[in-house]
Amino acid sequence: MGNVYLEGQFQPIESAKISVLDRGFLFGDGVYEVIPVYGGQLFRFNEHLQRLENSLAEIRITNPHNHKAWYSLLTQLIAENEGEDQSIYLQITRGTAPRDHHFPDQTTPTLFMMSNPLTGTSAEILKTGIAAVTEIDSRWSRCNIKSINLLANVLHRQHALDQGAKESILIRDSLVTEGAASNLFIVQHGTILTPPKSNYLLPGVTRDLVLELAQQHGMACREAEINESSLQQADEIWVTSSTKEIVPVTTLNQQPVADGKPGAITLQLHRHLQQFKQQFRS
Ligand code: PDD
């Protein structure tokens, strides 16, 4: 790994240290973003920055940087790390203060950023898809905030792995919300459906791009509530995220989704996304 960024400095990860009184460590009091980099360029930068701004506003932390300063810091971070394609992780916590639940009077937010190699979806996964399981959504009711408090998501993801699956699809009040770390789409009678944005799911940047691409290419799609039986009877299912892009779900609760192979619409959208990225790179 190249250098990470902490407290105003680029430094090796081994030397990056935070106080044990940091409220991110003690309370999970902070937010984060994951931004893909293709060909050395920040992908959907404005959208990620806007979501960061929204998350910060929701938890009442002042954004430490303006758009230009973010761009410059992130561009430096990319240069400090190897590879044309990277996955940038950044988190902002409320800062360090004696432990007490209420907001401290005066703290400086802690900003940490690192970069990891970005590989996208493997050819193997595109060929076979993944297995997913459904689970009752145990998270709080402000899932639109990209909070670093991910304990419920961690438990949901682990539940999937314990069942021999890769992702947990979460259900709240009989309706599908999203995956443990992804948004969800299905195809029903030829129409692409994804749950509408609400406080029960993260407004995924990849989700919005997939909807945009589907519309551009004249594919029938809309935002709609998806109940458990629609999920079970779906012709195709896939999940999206910035790091994994579009991942076909071919097994649900140990049963094949339709014929158990990645669907034609899933693969078509995957191709459109690859094309879009290719144009972005050039
Ligand atoms: N997670 N929903 C949840 C709960 C997520 O954690 C993520 C992504 C998404 C997809 O959002 P986007 O398309 O903007 O990446 C939806 C990131 C990748 C993570 O936590 O590592």
Side-chain angles (χ1 to χ4, degrees):
M1 186 185 257
N3 281 339
V4 302
Y5 177 93
L6 181 69
E7 307 282 19
Q9 276 181 21
F10 290 97
Q11 50 187 299
I13 193 152
E14 296 76 25
S15 70
K17 303 268 188 286
I18 58 150
S19 163
V20 290
L21 290 181
D22 191 280
R23 289 178 64 93
F25 181 61
L26 292 178
F27 295 110
D29 186 359
V31 297
Y32 77 108
E33 265 303 322
V34 177
I35 313 176
V37 169
Y38 298 120
Q41 296 296 317
L42 292 156
F43 189 65
R44 300 254 124 175
F45 177 53
N46 291 343
E47 289 79 357
H48 282 281
L49 210 57
Q50 184 59 57
R51 186 173 62 187
L52 177 67
E53 183 79 51
N54 297 347
S55 295
L56 286 168
E58 289 276 353
I59 69 162
R60 292 154 63 191
I61 293 180
T62 307
N63 192 338
H65 299 297
N66 63 22
H67 190 282
K68 209 170 138 205
W70 274 119
Y71 186 79
S72 145
L73 272 179
L74 289 164
T75 306
Q76 281 181 68
L77 179 69
I78 296 167
E80 295 274 341
N81 286 272
E82 276 178 19
E84 290 282 283
D85 293 0
Q86 301 179 20
S87 167
I88 304 290
Y89 174 87
L90 71 87
Q91 77 165 46
I92 301 169
T93 73
R94 202 176 303 279
T96 298
R99 185 181 182 277
D100 204 337
H101 288 63
H102 64 77
F103 296 173
D105 287 340
Q106 273 190 337
T107 46
T108 310
T110 308
L111 168 59
F112 169 65
M113 307 196 289
M114 65 179 165
S115 170
N116 288 295
L118 182 63
T119 48
T121 318
S122 71
E124 182 59 24
I125 291 225
L126 275 174
K127 229 163 72 193
T128 61
I130 61 161
V133 289
T134 53
E135 216 190 344
I136 299 292
D137 195 337
S138 68
R139 300 172 304 161
W140 68 336
S141 56
R142 297 182 70 185
C143 301
N144 53 316
I145 302 172
K146 203 161 168 62
S147 159
I148 60 169
N149 227 307
L150 290 174
L151 183 56
N153 305 64
V154 165
L155 294 175
H156 281 310
R157 176 60 68 82
Q158 188 57 41
H159 172 79
L161 267 75
D162 293 345
Q163 310 280 311
K166 287 273 188 320
E167 183 59 307
S168 225
I169 297 176
L170 308 177
I171 315 279
R172 188 187 287 260
D173 300 331
S174 308
L175 296 175
V176 176
T177 53
E178 59 181 336
S182 56
N183 291 112
L184 178 122
F185 289 77
I186 67 167
V187 174
Q188 190 182 53
H189 312 307
T191 299
I192 301 164
L193 303 178
T194 194
K197 288 181 187 173
S198 77
N199 53 319
Y200 293 130
L201 56 97
L202 186 81
V205 173
T206 320
R207 169 198 182 276
D208 287 355
L209 177 56
V210 164
L211 281 177
E212 223 176 281
L213 289 173
Q215 271 153 13
Q216 260 175 36
H217 291 274
M219 300 164 81
C221 65
R222 70 194 158 81
E223 296 176 293
E225 306 284 17
I226 299 170
N227 62 28
E228 271 189 271
S229 71
S230 305
L231 180 72
Q232 271 147 21
Q233 288 157 30
D235 300 320
E236 299 183 29
I237 303 177
W238 69 86
V239 290
T240 62
S241 71
S242 291
T243 42
K244 309 259 173 68
E245 304 176 353
I246 293 175
V247 178
V249 174
T250 45
T251 305
L252 181 70
N253 296 334
Q254 282 91 45
Q255 300 297 315
V257 175
D259 65 358
K261 299 200 182 91
I265 293 179
T266 315
L267 296 177
Q268 193 183 342
L269 271 169
H270 181 265
R271 280 193 300 274
H272 291 321
L273 180 58
Q274 298 317 305
Q275 247 167 33
F276 187 86
K277 278 167 53 188
Q278 202 48 46
Q279 278 159 11
F280 173 81
R281 283 173 199 278
S282 52

